[in-house]
């Protein structure tokens, strides 16, 4: 899951990125509204974390300019917590709303719920041929036995399972699982896929040559 | 309106009613008096005319016996005297009354009585009242004349020095009845006028008071919290309009102050929330055991936490200082201190940062004694010099000069940095206003209160702070401090 954090405060930006990375997200950063808007329009993100009070373009303005063309879920962060502020946030196209100071667990949970809803799933658990994926706890079990996966392997499996039945292209996977500092030309993806096949059995993930990967 | 007589409308009404009543009563009384005097005068003239005619008639009628009154042959003596002599001689009683009654229709209510000096009745008409009071006789006092009322009769009373006393009267009960009717009609129209006046006054007082009620209603709505409402003006520039304008102006200022306060609180809480969020999120992140961490991770996280805590400390200190400036009356506490010493300390504090950015800090500091709080002054200069250095792009210079003006010390902080844009310039002393947030945020501990604080401190010692700036060329801050 790839997330863009648009936050002007450098300390908070660093802390948010670290928290989300710890939870297995691929995280990009933007230091102000203009940069954030550019990245949000150019890149592919599963969700946006958007601060309201920012120089140049504030959160509302970013949202306003982004909304017609992009329906990426947006979680707004703000220091203002009056009811009119919340209503304004939700009315102007934000999908969720958190007031500073917030609990980082809550931020992560809300972000996951947003991404899940945007993908059309409302359950946080996926059952597939004896394989159980718990998105809240980021764990995979087969018949009650936990399978140890790295964060990247888990993210890859989760993405394929959420989009099961569809062919997911390599560039899609790069866009959603890796942040802008990773080199998309490397063969990291192949390594992760082969590791997953070793741990889960080779029949689960099918390769469509020239198209991508698929779980059917 | 609970106690009606306390209200202005009732009091206006009461005074108005009282004054109107007095005016109407005085007018009616005068009119009544004048009318009666006029009528009585007419009656009196009529009575006197008839009296003279009567005396002449009685005297002449008895003139048929001239033999007995031999003294009055060749020379005519006045009628009353002649009558008196004839009466004393006692020859003219009986016939008179009869002739009198049938003779003239106009005198059918006229009655008369004559008496001598001792009060003996010499002649009396039949229709005269039982008791007739004759005037007391005064010897040698000439003629005594008097008009008087006797019951419903008007009497003309004469007393002559030769002895005759006469009373001639007229029954005027018809006139008296008319006088009573006139009094009643006057009283009636007076009361009607008064009631009409009361009604008009009540209406007028109500009309005059209605704007006040509207003002008080609006004011109480505003007091209940609807701070955006204003009293509507009639546009006539009346006293009430002036009052409304004063009130509206007061409400505007109150509202602006409240709004400012609200904005300040919101900004302060916003500034506090961000570092608080960092503290919470970092401590939470580091507490999780399942992710293996290197010591660098911990180091970095602690640095973040420390920075956040420092920011909060600076902000809280600035807020406290600002609050103290706001609550202190101007010109309190101060000791004699040397401006040069205070400035030198500030400069030495900022020197390392300036050197790291390649900025030369030049200063001209002649010794100058002023009366102020040196700690607060150093807050001002730390802010001004610190700003000049921090917002400077690097490679340049910042000058600090002290100059003596007449009755004032002027501290000038001049830099050749990027300058401040004209749209930002008026607002840089506002609390939490930042010219370029993204830049100043990169320097931890910037609260956005520095210049606001400097301004508050300088103004509290009776000084002022000025700024001039050209974009691309630099800025100059001038602090003018009063001497002594």
């Amino acid at each position: 899951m790839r997330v863009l954090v648009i936050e002007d405060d450098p300390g908070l930006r660093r802390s948010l990125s670290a928290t989300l990375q710890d939870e297995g997200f691929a995280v990009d950063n933007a230091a102000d509204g203009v940069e954030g808007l550019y990245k949000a329009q150019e890149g592919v993100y599963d969700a946006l974390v958007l601060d309201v009070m920012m120089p140049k373009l504030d959160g509302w303005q970013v949202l306003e300019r982004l909304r017609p063309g992009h329906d990426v879920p947006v979680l707004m962060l703000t220091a203002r917590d009056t009811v009119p502020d919340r209503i304004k946030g939700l009315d102007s196209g934000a999908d969720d709303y958190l007031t500073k100071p917030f609990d980082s667990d809550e931020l992560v949970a809300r972000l996951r719920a947003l991404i899940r809803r945007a993908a059309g799933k409302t359950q946080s658990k996926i059952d597939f041929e004896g394989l159980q994926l718990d998105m809240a706890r980021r764990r995979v079990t087969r018949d009650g036995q936990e399978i140890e996966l790295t964060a990247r392997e888990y993210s890859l499996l989760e993405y394929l399972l959420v989009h099961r039945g569809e062919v997911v292209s390599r560039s899609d996977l790069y866009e959603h699982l890796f942040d802008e500092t990773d080199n998309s030309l490397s063969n990291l993806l192949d390594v992760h896929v082969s590791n997953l096949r070793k741990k889960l059995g080779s029949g689960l993930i099918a390769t469509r040559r020239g198209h991508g990967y698929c779980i059917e | 309106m609970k106690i009606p007589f306390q209200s202005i409308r009732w009091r206006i009404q009461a005074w108005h009613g009282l004054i109107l009543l007095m005016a109407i009563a005085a007018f009616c009384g005068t009119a009544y008096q004048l009318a009666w005097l006029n009528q009585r005068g007419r009656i009196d003239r009529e009575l006197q005319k008839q009296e003279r005619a009567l005396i002449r008639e009685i005297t002449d009628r008895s003139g048929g016996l001239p033999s007995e009154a031999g003294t009055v042959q060749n020379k005519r003596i006045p009628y009353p005297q002649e009558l008196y002599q004839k009466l004393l001689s006692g020859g003219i009683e009986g016939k008179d009354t009869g002739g009198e009654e049938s003779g003239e229709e106009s005198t059918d209510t006229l009655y008369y009585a004559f008496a001598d000096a001792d009060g003996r009745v010499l002649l009396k008409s039949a229709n005269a009242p039982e008791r007739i009071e004759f005037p007391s006789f005064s010897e040698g006092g000439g003629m005594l004349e008097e008009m008087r009322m006797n019951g419903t009769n008007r009497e003309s009373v004469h007393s002559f020095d030769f002895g005759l006393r006469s009373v001639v009267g007229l029954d005027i009960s018809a006139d008296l009845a008319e006088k009573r009717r006139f009094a009643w009609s006057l009283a009636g129209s007076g009361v009607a006028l008064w009631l009409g006046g009361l009604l008009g006054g009540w209406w007028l007082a109500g009309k005059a008071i209605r704007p006040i009620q509207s003002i008080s209603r609006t004011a109480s709505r505003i007091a209940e919290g609807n701070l955006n409402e204003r009293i509507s003006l009639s546009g006539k520039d009346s006293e009430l309009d002036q009052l409304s304008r004063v009130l509206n102006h007061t409400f505007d200022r109150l509202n602006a102050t409240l709004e400012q306060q609200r904005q300040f609180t919101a900004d302060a809480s916003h500034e506090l929330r961000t570092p608080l969020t960092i503290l919470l999120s970092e401590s939470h992140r580091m507490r999780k055991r399942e992710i293996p961490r290197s010591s660098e991770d911990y180091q970095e996280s602690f640095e973040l936490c420390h920075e956040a805590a420092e920011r909060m400390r600076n902000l809280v200190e600035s807020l406290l200082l600002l609050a103290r400036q706001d609550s202190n009356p101007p010109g309190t506490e101060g000791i004699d201190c040397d401006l040069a010493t205070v400035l030198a300390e500030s400069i030495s504090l900022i020197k390392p940062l300036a050197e790291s950015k390649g900025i030369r800090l030049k200063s001209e500091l002649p010794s100058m004694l002023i009366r102020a709080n040196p700690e607060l002054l150093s807050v001002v200069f730390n802010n001004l010099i610190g700003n000049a250095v921090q917002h400077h792009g690097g490679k340049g210079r910042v000058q600090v000069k002290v100059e003596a003006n007449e009755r004032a010390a002027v501290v000038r902080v001049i830099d050749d940095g990027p300058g401040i844009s004209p749209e930002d310039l008026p607002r840089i002393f506002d609390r939490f206003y930042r010219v370029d947030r993204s830049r100043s945020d990169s320097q931890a501990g910037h609260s956005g209160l520095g210049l606001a604080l400097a301004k508050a401190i300088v103004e509290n010692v009776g000084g002022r702070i000025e700024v001039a700036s050209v974009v691309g060329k630099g800025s100059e801050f001038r602090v003018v401090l009063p001497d002594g």
Side-chain angles (χ1 to χ4, degrees):
Chain A
M1 302 291 118
R2 191 166 165 193
V3 175
L4 175 62
V5 175
I6 309 173
E7 165 65 58
D8 64 314
D9 189 280
L12 185 55
R13 194 167 62 233
R14 234 153 76 206
S15 179
L16 275 177
S17 303
T19 304
L20 293 176
Q21 272 160 357
D22 284 352
E23 293 294 329
F25 289 94
V27 183
D28 286 358
N29 290 308
D32 60 56
V34 176
E35 187 191 347
L37 182 61
Y38 175 76
K39 282 188 172 173
Q41 283 168 334
E42 295 303 311
V44 178
Y45 294 101
D46 295 288
L48 252 55
V49 177
L50 178 61
D51 189 21
V52 172
M53 298 260 279
M54 282 188 301
K56 295 179 185 171
L57 274 183
D58 70 20
W60 312 124
Q61 291 167 317
V62 170
L63 203 57
E64 209 171 90
R65 292 174 197 200
L66 184 70
R67 261 309 173 227
H70 296 74
D71 51 2
V72 55
V74 173
L75 190 147
M76 303 273 289
L77 295 181
T78 180
R80 298 181 182 273
D81 59 349
T82 60
V83 173
D85 283 322
R86 288 159 187 262
I87 290 171
K88 186 183 175 192
L90 295 174
D91 272 353
S92 59
D95 298 272
D96 207 345
Y97 203 89
L98 263 183
T99 310
K100 294 177 193 172
F102 47 82
D103 191 282
S104 40
D105 282 347
E106 189 185 358
L107 172 74
V108 171
R110 278 174 186 259
L111 215 47
R112 286 220 182 91
L114 272 185
I115 295 169
R116 218 164 51 229
R117 273 205 300 274
K121 309 283 189 296
T122 49
Q123 293 268 317
S124 69
K125 286 183 181 161
I126 297 174
D127 260 302
F128 185 77
E129 293 179 355
L131 208 59
Q132 288 91 37
L133 185 89
D134 186 341
M135 288 195 266
R137 298 167 66 201
R138 300 179 63 77
R139 276 168 59 180
V140 180
T141 52
R142 166 166 277 160
D143 307 324
Q145 281 299 100
E146 183 169 348
I147 300 166
E148 293 282 342
L149 295 178
T150 66
R152 278 281 160 76
E153 286 163 5
Y154 170 83
S155 299
L156 177 58
L157 179 64
E158 186 191 83
Y159 194 84
L160 289 172
L161 274 176
V162 165
H163 297 90
R164 61 185 180 275
E166 302 166 24
V167 178
V168 182
S169 71
R170 286 176 64 89
S171 61
D172 259 2
L173 285 172
Y174 270 113
E175 275 166 356
H176 287 280
L177 304 182
F178 298 93
D179 58 45
E180 55 198 354
T181 54
D182 291 319
N183 185 355
S184 59
L185 293 175
S186 71
N187 64 347
L188 264 176
L189 191 58
D190 302 309
V191 174
H192 289 311
V193 171
S194 102
N195 283 344
L196 266 183
R197 280 181 176 147
K198 270 184 211 154
K199 289 178 182 176
L200 300 169
S202 56
L204 187 67
I205 303 171
T207 306
R208 296 289 165 82
R209 211 154 285 284
H211 295 283
Y213 300 97
C214 171
I215 290 181
E216 286 173 302
Chain B
M1 277 289 178
K2 267 184 184 169
I3 317 159
F5 299 106
Q6 291 287 325
S7 90
I8 293 179
R9 188 180 195 177
W10 274 100
R11 274 187 295 182
I12 290 178
Q13 180 68 0
W15 281 109
H16 166 73
L18 195 66
I19 291 167
L20 190 66
L21 187 65
M22 274 157 53
I24 290 176
F27 174 77
C28 288
T30 311
Y32 174 74
Q33 207 66 32
L34 277 177
W36 172 235
L37 278 177
N38 191 23
Q39 192 177 3
R40 210 179 58 186
R42 218 169 11 114
I43 292 170
D44 286 352
R45 278 193 302 280
E46 180 67 21
L47 184 60
Q48 279 162 345
K49 203 178 95 191
Q50 287 190 22
E51 182 186 23
R52 276 195 299 278
L54 175 80
I55 288 174
R56 204 176 300 132
E57 192 186 329
I58 294 172
T59 313
D60 287 349
R61 195 176 294 175
S62 58
L65 302 162
S67 56
E68 283 189 43
T71 43
V72 273
Q73 276 293 49
N74 41 9
K75 195 175 164 226
R76 189 94 195 150
I77 56 166
Y79 275 110
Q81 208 169 342
E82 190 185 341
L83 179 67
Y84 186 51
Q85 285 168 5
K86 284 183 179 169
L87 282 173
L88 284 179
S89 62
I92 51 167
E93 276 138 277
K95 309 152 196 170
D96 250 342
T97 32
E100 180 64 41
E101 274 167 15
S102 59
E104 283 173 63
E105 64 249 42
S106 66
T107 57
D108 56 353
T109 50
L110 200 71
Y111 61 89
Y112 53 86
F114 300 102
D116 61 8
D118 303 326
R120 271 183 300 118
V121 177
L122 302 173
L123 183 66
K124 187 179 172 183
S125 67
N127 58 351
E130 283 292 301
R131 270 196 69 240
I132 289 181
E133 227 177 282
F134 290 101
S136 57
F137 178 68
S138 59
E139 195 106 31
M143 186 182 77
L144 210 82
E145 193 176 30
E146 191 192 2
M147 302 300 292
R148 70 172 190 205
M149 287 302 293
N150 180 14
T152 60
N153 304 323
R154 186 72 182 166
E155 291 177 343
S156 170
V157 183
H158 284 92
S159 164
F160 300 95
D161 49 0
F162 53 83
L164 177 69
R165 282 182 283 172
S166 72
V167 171
V168 178
L170 195 61
D171 183 9
I172 56 162
S173 53
D175 289 291
L176 287 175
E178 197 188 327
K179 174 186 158 195
R180 257 198 310 281
R181 271 199 309 279
F182 180 62
W184 278 117
S185 77
L186 256 186
S189 45
V191 165
L193 192 64
W194 188 61
L195 288 177
L198 280 186
L199 273 179
W202 184 247
W203 175 76
L204 209 62
K207 194 172 145 67
I209 276 186
R210 204 172 306 130
I212 298 179
Q213 287 173 333
S214 138
I215 288 171
S216 95
R217 269 198 302 273
T218 313
S220 57
R221 273 203 300 278
I222 292 170
E224 280 160 17
N226 192 358
L227 287 167
N228 288 318
E229 203 167 332
R230 289 291 174 271
I231 300 161
S232 56
L233 304 171
S234 67
K236 285 184 202 128
D237 202 42
S238 62
E239 290 88 337
L240 287 178
D241 255 20
Q242 287 166 15
L243 172 67
S244 304
R245 256 197 290 281
V246 170
L247 285 176
N248 278 346
H249 184 63
T250 311
F251 292 140
D252 281 345
R253 292 191 48 187
L254 276 179
N255 200 12
T257 313
L258 276 179
E259 192 50 51
Q260 227 176 340
Q261 201 64 41
R262 214 170 3 234
Q263 187 62 41
F264 179 71
T265 314
D267 288 343
S269 80
H270 173 259
E271 294 298 322
L272 276 172
R273 276 164 199 251
T274 303
L276 193 57
T277 311
I278 296 173
L279 274 181
L280 278 173
S281 120
E282 279 305 286
S283 52
H284 187 84
R285 193 163 72 91
M286 287 301 125
R287 231 176 40 182
K288 283 196 173 165
R289 296 237 176 108
E290 52 266 39
I291 302 162
R293 309 223 181 258
S294 65
S295 61
E296 285 85 43
D297 281 349
Y298 284 114
Q299 186 71 29
E300 197 190 341
S301 178
F302 280 133
E303 256 162 39
L304 267 179
C305 286
H306 184 74
E307 253 172 44
E310 198 124 287
R311 257 166 82 180
M312 289 171 74
R313 187 188 64 189
N314 281 338
L315 181 62
V316 169
E317 273 174 5
S318 298
L319 283 175
L320 278 177
L321 214 49
L322 204 53
R324 227 170 286 147
Q325 290 304 309
D326 285 350
S327 62
N328 267 16
T332 49
E333 62 187 290
I335 53 169
D336 288 327
C337 53
D338 191 352
L339 256 183
T341 321
V342 178
L343 280 165
E345 266 173 36
S346 290
I347 289 170
S348 69
L349 207 69
I350 295 155
K351 202 139 205 161
L353 178 66
E355 277 166 0
S356 75
K357 291 184 81 175
I359 296 165
R360 274 177 299 137
L361 254 177
K362 292 176 69 181
S363 54
E364 288 170 35
L365 307 175
S367 179
M368 190 170 288
L369 280 180
I370 60 161
R371 194 169 178 78
N373 182 336
E375 280 171 39
L376 291 177
L377 272 189
S378 68
V379 170
V380 174
F381 298 129
N382 285 350
N383 263 307
L384 290 181
I385 305 170
N387 274 348
V389 171
Q390 278 180 342
H391 293 290
H392 203 290
K395 294 261 188 299
R397 85 206 143 112
V398 172
Q399 283 176 281
V400 182
K401 288 183 187 172
V402 176
E403 287 165 6
N405 207 336
E406 75 266 11
R407 302 171 54 77
V410 182
V411 179
R412 299 166 68 192
V413 179
I414 309 158
D415 68 67
D416 57 355
I420 303 161
S421 71
E423 56 264 31
D424 284 323
L425 207 52
R427 295 195 58 195
I428 55 169
F429 292 107
D430 288 0
R431 293 169 185 194
F432 294 116
Y433 187 77
R434 282 173 181 163
V435 172
D436 186 355
R437 274 192 54 155
S438 59
R439 186 205 299 273
S440 61
D441 265 358
S442 62
Q443 287 126 9
H446 249 245
S447 58
L449 286 173
L451 284 179
L453 193 53
K455 189 180 184 217
I457 290 170
V458 169
E459 283 179 355
N460 248 17
V461 297
R464 63 182 195 278
I465 189 163
E466 296 163 352
V467 61
S469 185
V470 179
V471 176
K473 290 210 161 174
S475 317
E476 174 180 347
F477 282 82
R478 290 159 55 91
V479 178
V480 182
L481 294 165
D483 251 337

